[in-house]
Amino acid sequence: MNPTIDLLKSHRSIRRFTDQQIPRELLLELIRAGQAAATSSHVQAYSVIHVRNPANRERIAELAGGQGYVASCADFLVFCADMKRPTEASERTGANVVRGMTEQLLVASVDTALMAQNVAIAAESAGLGICYIGGIRNNPHAISDLLHLPEHVYPVFGMCLGYPAVDPDIKPRLPVEAILKEDVYTEDSEQVAAFDEAMRTYYGERRGGHKNSDWSRNLTPLFDSKLRAHMRDFLIERGFEMK
């Protein structure tokens, strides 16, 4: 279609990186590109922690479930939903600020995700590889303490950045017919069944064919064991009371 669409469709998660460092100015440009993302009411409800301390990187790798590439990538970023900055700015104008609304949690989380995806696309356009690290939500209290995150700020996910040392295949996605609904929501069990077969083939051909699974089976931990039930209480403690 065009180079931008081709780049978007070529995304792979990269978990092995070369020793090449990312120039500081390039990293700053990636953050500036992230800031150019759409943001609800221009709130810009995010902050990014560039974790440079090797000991902290090792600790985060452990807290995130033993993901060693957090420590080995060239740069590691933690993207935080930040309602502290905008609420305090509004308060300084004399506004009667109400905190802890569910809408504020949604705005900050969406703003953070949009900003991070811009960073990811910009990074890939510069020849870098990236990997999102949702595992930091396994231990959000410890991560927040390590990064000195204040109230009304929470870590949404991390991102590994670096020059790829591997060239993995592109993982298939659901067929567009399952995702794009016309006028009303429609069932998509047939498309999911076909996608399960495609994923079974993909896993069978990847890494020597040692994985016998499909998309539906891979979802199981998200809904029966990897629930992160602690997140609700954690968010309330951080000031996102979800009223």
Side-chain angles (χ1 to χ4, degrees), residues 166-184:
V166 291
D167 186 22
D169 292 335
I170 298 171
K171 186 177 286 188
R173 295 302 199 255
L174 282 159
V176 70
E177 293 81 9
I179 301 300
L180 181 62
K181 320 281 188 182
E182 301 294 344
D183 291 322
V184 297

Side-chain angles (χ1 to χ4, degrees), residues 135-237:
I136 66 168
R137 297 193 304 279
N138 292 350
N139 292 283
H141 287 95
I143 296 287
S144 296
D145 289 345
L146 189 69
L147 303 179
H148 297 180
L149 301 185
E151 192 177 31
H152 302 295
V153 178
Y154 88 92
V156 184
F157 42 69
M159 182 186 291
C160 296
L161 287 162
Y163 291 93
V166 291
D167 186 22
D169 292 335
I170 298 171
K171 186 177 286 188
R173 295 302 199 255
L174 282 159
V176 70
E177 293 81 9
I179 301 300
L180 181 62
K181 320 281 188 182
E182 301 294 344
D183 291 322
V184 297
Y185 192 95
T186 53
E187 293 301 320
D188 45 35
S189 55
E190 290 184 10
Q191 291 94 335
V192 169
F195 185 60
D196 276 337
E197 190 59 38
M199 287 304 299
R200 196 174 295 113
T201 300
Y202 168 79
Y203 286 130
E205 295 174 350
R206 193 183 70 165
R207 297 179 184 173
H210 299 305
K211 184 171 183 176
N212 180 20
S213 189
D214 56 35
W215 182 70
S216 296
R217 285 187 176 89
N218 271 7
L219 296 177
T220 300
L222 297 176
F223 301 109
D224 78 358
S225 59
K226 194 178 178 181
L227 300 174
R228 294 183 180 134
H230 55 265
M231 283 301 298
R232 181 178 183 277
D233 288 342
F234 167 75
L235 289 168
I236 291 172
E237 290 172 14

